[in-house]
Amino acid sequence: MCGIVGYIGKRQAAPILLEGLHRLEYRGYDSAGIAVGNKGKLRVAKRKGRVRELDALEPQKFRGVQGIAHTRWATHGEPSDRNAHPHSDASGRYAVVHNGIVENAAALKAQLAGRGVVFTSDTDTEVLAHLIALLDDGSPLETVVAEALRRVVGAYGVAVIDAERPDTLVVARNGSPIVLGIGDKEMFFASDPAALVRHTASVVHLDDGEIAAIRADGYETRTLDGAATIKTPSTIPWKDEAFDKGQFTHFMRKEIGEQADAVRRTLSGRLDVRFSTTHLGGIELEARDLLDIRRVKILGCGAAYLSGRIGAHLIEQLARLPADAEPASEFRYRNAVIERDTLYIAVSQSGETFDTLAAVQEIKRKGGRIMGVVNVVGSTIARECGRGIYLHAGPEVAVVSTKTFTCTAVALALLAIHLGRLRDLSVANGARLIAALQALPDHIAAILEREPEIARLAGRFAGVEHAFYVGRAAGHAVASEGALKLKEISYLHAEAYPASELKHGPLALIEPKIPTVIVLPRDDLYAKNLSTVEEIKARGGPVIAITHPGEPPAVDAAFEVPALEPELDPLLLNIPLQLLAYHVALQRGTDIDQPRNLAKSVTVE
């Protein structure tokens, strides 16, 4: 959620750090700050608000070749200048930036206060700065920081700078990502590779429980107990230009428009026309192992969970295996029964979602079979799972998920076909579905070309504060994602229900000022969905339908998408709902790429 950037080398640090902060703005934050070391002193600037507010303090003029910077998403203490990171000890010698939560901060504060420490913020992070100052006995900085962190309970990605040790920065990780970037006689680090791609493509991912001493000529990693660890650099697959908006006003609109190409990348090399199946080498499970599976459980949070619901529906339909999706944040706390013949699938765009990662670790601890569906190569969930499907959707900068949602649903469709062809899915049906997937990118592109129609539909949300979204079967998952998008970026209250559930309570809320968006494919449930439309219309509620070509349904407005194949129709029905949410938010003038209170990568509970 928060963002960390650090640099040590031969160049002036401040411009590099500020550029990195701008690259991390998409993660969601409420304040920003920077600390630069030079000639035995630290210069610190921090401010509530966006990085542009920090820029007004002119930290780019700070001189020094080592520094750390941070964007904060508030957990302990309201957003304010004094609660912004970095935090320092009383002498100002040490500065710390921190992602995560120190769960025993209150106890540590009490101990430090007993030694005369006076705190100047409401944060848990300030505890670390004072603790490091108290424990420093002249040992190497990484040794001092490790001793401090051994006293901490909680999750963290942390970076430390000491004015009197100008040759070293220290970073450590436990549950919140830290990536080291390797340069030419210079080193970088960040909580996200997006902050590094302009300077290096060679990176090292820290694992939980690791600490690194970073110097201009390299790095050393070890556990908190001092045991050396060996890291192998990997390559960032994305180019710098992928993080620019280009001709678009918002990253969200750019990323909606990239979906045809993103889906092509997800499908690339994975369609086996000869055998009417799919090829998924990354799952690293032989056919005999997959035939032993009796159930599939998909875990994710937010849009990842909703894409999992679409995937679960596809797996049940095509592979005839019991399948369901569950929020990862709930799964880990209900003492779930882990079964040897169940395939667990962890879904995460960033590959760093804390709740999903914790669920993965719990499944592994209990001996479960786990695979990941993630977008970021080398991310923690990808490495923890050890097998899975990379989306190859490209970087997604907007806080809300659009192209990765679609690509995740496509990846799960590939898995459903793969499992189905091992069981009862016929060659003919496999070929039918493969042909539909091949046509999918062009259909997405055709929908996007009709954006003005969606923009006009968005006008129907002017002056309303509530909306319903309804659908049946996988259409309910599509409706849920549409409602989530509307809530996230327009701040309108939107609820999604199975269409059949309206008469069991929500129908009481239908009125002329509350529009209902219905996902209305022309499938075997079409007639039943039309009955739902009539129930809403009879009570004066306006209805907008996302449907297929044919005899127009009796609704107030409709947008037609091409009919694909009944099983795969949800992959297309979702696209206009993304554009609808975007244009409603555009008309309402909200912050589309960085909606209030939200973050791209949720790395705390």
Side-chain angles (χ1 to χ4, degrees), residues 365-546:
R365 186 185 69 81
K366 292 183 174 180
R369 183 179 295 168
I370 185 76
M371 61 172 280
V373 177
V374 301
N375 191 40
V376 180
V377 175
S379 58
T380 305
I381 290 173
R383 288 181 285 124
E384 281 279 348
C385 290
R387 65 167 69 95
I389 304 172
Y390 280 122
L391 301 181
H392 303 303
E396 189 172 67
V397 177
V399 166
V400 298
S401 172
T402 52
K403 66 178 179 178
T404 55
F405 176 88
T406 300
C407 289
T408 298
V410 170
L412 293 171
L414 292 171
L415 178 63
I417 294 169
H418 189 79
L419 293 172
R421 287 291 291 120
L422 292 175
R423 288 175 167 79
D424 299 326
L425 188 65
S426 69
V427 171
N429 280 325
R432 173 177 62 85
L433 295 168
I434 294 298
L437 287 176
Q438 289 174 319
L440 180 61
D442 289 339
H443 285 315
I444 291 174
I447 291 172
L448 295 176
E449 288 176 357
R450 295 163 55 206
E451 183 176 0
E453 296 176 46
I454 293 289
R456 288 193 292 272
L457 285 182
R460 293 179 174 268
F461 287 79
V464 308
E465 293 299 327
H466 308 277
F468 281 122
Y469 283 65
V470 298
R472 290 175 186 260
H476 177 226
V478 173
S480 298
E481 171 64 7
L484 177 63
K485 286 291 164 285
L486 191 72
K487 283 184 279 195
E488 287 178 314
I489 62 171
S490 75
Y491 312 150
L492 284 175
H493 172 243
E495 294 293 338
Y497 287 95
S500 57
E501 283 293 303
L502 272 187
K503 63 178 70 70
H504 296 289
L507 203 58
L509 297 174
I510 294 295
E511 61 174 72
K513 290 186 178 180
I514 299 182
T516 297
V517 178
I518 184 167
V519 178
L520 189 64
R522 293 182 184 271
D523 55 13
D524 54 359
L525 295 174
Y526 182 70
K528 291 188 179 296
N529 277 324
L530 287 181
S531 297
T532 300
V533 170
E534 291 303 321
E535 292 170 357
I536 297 169
K537 297 287 290 180
R539 289 154 181 85
V543 178
I544 299 168
I546 307 300

Side-chain angles (χ1 to χ4, degrees), residues 7-11 13 35-42 63-68 93-94 136 139-142 160-170 185-187 189 213-218:
Y7 173 80
I8 185 168
K10 53 196 175 184
R11 293 187 276 170
V36 175
N38 186 35
K39 297 180 179 178
K41 294 183 179 180
L42 293 184
R63 307 296 295 175
V65 296
Q66 62 162 175
I68 57 177
R93 172 180 169 180
Y94 308 91
D136 194 346
S139 300
L141 183 59
E142 60 270 31
V160 181
I161 183 172
D162 173 9
E164 296 185 14
R165 293 182 175 96
D167 61 339
T168 306
L169 299 174
V170 171
K185 295 182 180 178
E186 59 184 357
M187 288 288 296
F189 59 81
I214 301 172
R215 301 175 179 87
D217 59 357

Side-chain angles (χ1 to χ4, degrees), residues 29-261:
Y29 69 103
D30 47 55
S31 60
I34 181 174
V36 175
N38 186 35
K39 297 180 179 178
K41 294 183 179 180
L42 293 184
R43 294 196 67 183
V44 176
K46 53 185 183 175
R47 176 165 282 186
K48 174 186 174 182
R50 299 301 189 189
V51 176
R52 61 178 175 267
E53 273 81 46
L54 175 66
D55 287 338
L57 299 178
E58 299 188 331
Q60 64 271 19
K61 295 182 179 179
F62 290 179
R63 307 296 295 175
V65 296
Q66 62 162 175
I68 57 177
H70 191 261
T71 54
R72 175 181 185 251
W73 188 85
T75 55
H76 289 66
E78 67 181 4
S80 66
D81 290 353
R82 69 189 186 92
N83 286 334
H85 296 210
H87 288 287
S88 299
D89 67 309
S91 71
R93 172 180 169 180
Y94 308 91
V96 177
V97 296
H98 165 230
N99 294 351
I101 295 176
V102 179
E103 295 176 8
N104 62 333
L108 292 172
K109 270 191 174 184
Q111 294 173 19
L112 290 165
R115 292 173 173 260
V117 171
V118 176
F119 291 89
T120 60
S121 77
D122 302 317
T123 69
D124 52 342
T125 301
E126 189 183 353
V127 168
L128 293 173
H130 293 292
L131 192 56
I132 290 166
L134 181 68
L135 294 173
D136 194 346
D137 60 358
S139 300
L141 183 59
E142 60 270 31
T143 303
V144 177
V145 174
E147 176 60 27
L149 292 176
R150 282 196 290 270
R151 305 182 185 206
V152 166
V153 177
Y156 55 77
V158 64
V160 181
I161 183 172
D162 173 9
E164 296 185 14
R165 293 182 175 96
D167 61 339
T168 306
L169 299 174
V170 171
V171 293
R173 172 203 168 124
N174 185 46
S176 191
I178 293 289
V179 183
L180 312 185
I182 304 169
D184 179 15
K185 295 182 180 178
E186 59 184 357
M187 288 288 296
F188 311 81
F189 59 81
S191 51
D192 189 311
L196 306 179
V197 291
R198 182 164 292 181
H199 304 288
T200 181
S202 182
V203 297
V204 167
H205 296 264
L206 288 192
D207 291 315
D208 282 351
E210 281 189 317
I211 188 168
I214 301 172
R215 301 175 179 87
D217 59 357
Y219 65 95
E220 296 175 358
T221 60
R222 63 190 66 187
T223 67
L224 291 184
D225 293 327
T229 57
I230 299 174
K231 311 299 293 184
T232 302
S234 59
T235 301
I236 300 175
W238 301 329
K239 301 298 183 184
D240 179 48
E241 54 268 23
F243 293 89
D244 292 328
K245 284 197 288 271
Q247 63 178 335
F248 297 95
T249 305
H250 299 98
F251 278 108
M252 181 183 178
R253 179 59 189 86
K254 173 178 180 279
E255 288 154 8
I256 290 173
E258 290 173 341
Q259 287 181 107
D261 287 338

Side-chain angles (χ1 to χ4, degrees), residues 538-556:
R539 289 154 181 85
V543 178
I544 299 168
I546 307 300
T547 188
H548 288 146
E551 183 69 24
V555 296
D556 296 273

